[in-house]
Structure formats: C-alpha cells, structure tokens
Amino acid sequence: MKSEFKVKFLQNLVSKKKNNEGFTLIELLVVIIIVGVLAAIALPSFLNQIGKARGSEAKSNLGTMNRSQQSYRLENNTFASTLTNLDARISGKFYGYAVTGGNATGVGATTTPTNGTTDGLKVSSAYATQSGDVFSQAICESNDTSGTVSATMTSTTCPANYRNIN
C-alpha cells in the first residue's frame, strides 16, 4: 500500500506541474514595469551620448582645418581664406564649415549645424595664428545647445559663453 501511495503522489505532482506552465499576469506586469523604469533612466543618457558623438565631428574637422591652415601658411606665407584652398577633405553630416578672415596673421573657422539638426548641437569656432616660428591654435565650443549661437574668433582666446576644448 505504501508503494501505491507513493506512485499516486508522484503522479499528482507531475500533473500539477503540467498545469502550472507559463507566467501569471502579475509576473508579466512586474517585468514590464521594471523594463520601463530602466528604459526611462537609460534613454536620456543614450540621447546625450548621441549629441556628444555628433559634436565630435565638428571638433575633429576644426582640428583638421587648423592643421591644414598651418601647412598652407608654411607654403604660401599667409593663411587660406577659403576651404577650397586647403589640402584637406572637410565634410560633415551634421555641420557646415566656413573659414573666416584668412590673412598673414591668423585665420578663424566656424561650424553651423546643417539640415535643421540644431537640437542639442553646440556650435564650435577655431582660430589659428603664427607668431615667429610658433603656431598657436584654439578650438572652442559654445555652452549653448540650441545650435544657433555662433561667434567668430579673432584670437586664441575663447569668446564669452564658449569653452576651450583642445
């Protein structure tokens, strides 16, 4: 009799396990709430990183422009007044680039967000100069994230509301 009882008990346990497959509605709701909270925390951080990545395009291209300007200055005894004179490929998806005031003493460069992508983008400006045998340069980024505040640099000192990034 004992063995019959054991067999029936085991059969009962096996049949209950088959009936208990799956998740309850409460368990699913808890998981959905946890995923939602994690997404709400992670999404702003992710979007901020996208803005930083897009801003690095401007910083990289301005650095390339400054180095190309220095090379141009050594060959021509003046800084280039247009981008087409530079021996560098300056192109970007999120920013447009312009040379400002190229002459024998110094040259500036500015960025402007393109394609209406001003949200969260910071404009940048750069300046390169030569004094004797020493080249100096500065790349400055706006503190404003509207993408519309722009300043033309006339020295290696950052304008108001800009910070040095090189």
Side-chain angles (χ1 to χ4, degrees):
M1 189 114 162
K2 275 188 164 183
S3 60
E4 284 180 32
F5 178 70
K6 285 182 183 178
V7 170
K8 286 186 178 187
F9 180 70
L10 290 174
Q11 286 175 346
N12 188 23
L13 286 177
V14 170
S15 68
K16 279 188 176 181
K17 281 191 177 181
K18 287 181 183 176
N19 293 335
N20 288 337
E21 291 179 5
F23 300 103
T24 66
L25 183 60
I26 299 292
E27 291 170 332
L28 289 174
L29 287 174
V30 168
V31 169
I32 290 171
I33 289 171
I34 290 172
V35 169
V37 168
L38 291 175
I41 293 170
L43 189 62
S45 177
F46 175 71
L47 295 176
N48 188 28
Q49 293 303 317
I50 290 173
K52 286 182 181 179
R54 290 177 178 173
S56 68
E57 172 197 309
K59 297 170 198 171
S60 175
N61 281 336
L62 286 174
T64 300
M65 288 172 69
N66 277 349
R67 288 185 295 283
S68 296
Q69 286 285 11
Q70 292 171 8
S71 175
Y72 188 89
R73 171 76 165 90
L74 289 172
E75 293 174 2
N76 300 299
N77 209 25
T78 187
F79 288 101
S81 58
T82 64
L83 277 176
T84 55
N85 293 342
L86 297 178
D87 188 24
R89 295 178 190 222
I90 307 295
S91 64
K93 182 176 180 181
F94 301 104
Y95 289 94
Y97 302 92
V99 173
T100 56
N103 55 38
T105 58
V107 65
T110 59
T111 64
T112 306
T114 59
N115 300 328
T117 56
T118 59
D119 284 340
L121 295 182
K122 296 180 178 182
V123 295
S124 300
S125 295
Y127 194 79
T129 187
Q130 181 183 13
S131 178
D133 293 336
V134 178
F135 281 103
S136 299
Q137 69 173 354
I139 300 174
C140 302
E141 178 182 65
S142 172
N143 295 327
D144 185 292
T145 59
S146 69
T148 57
V149 178
S150 179
T152 301
M153 293 178 61
T154 57
S155 70
T156 55
T157 304
C158 291
N161 296 323
Y162 274 67
R163 65 182 181 91
N164 194 320
I165 57 174
N166 67 328

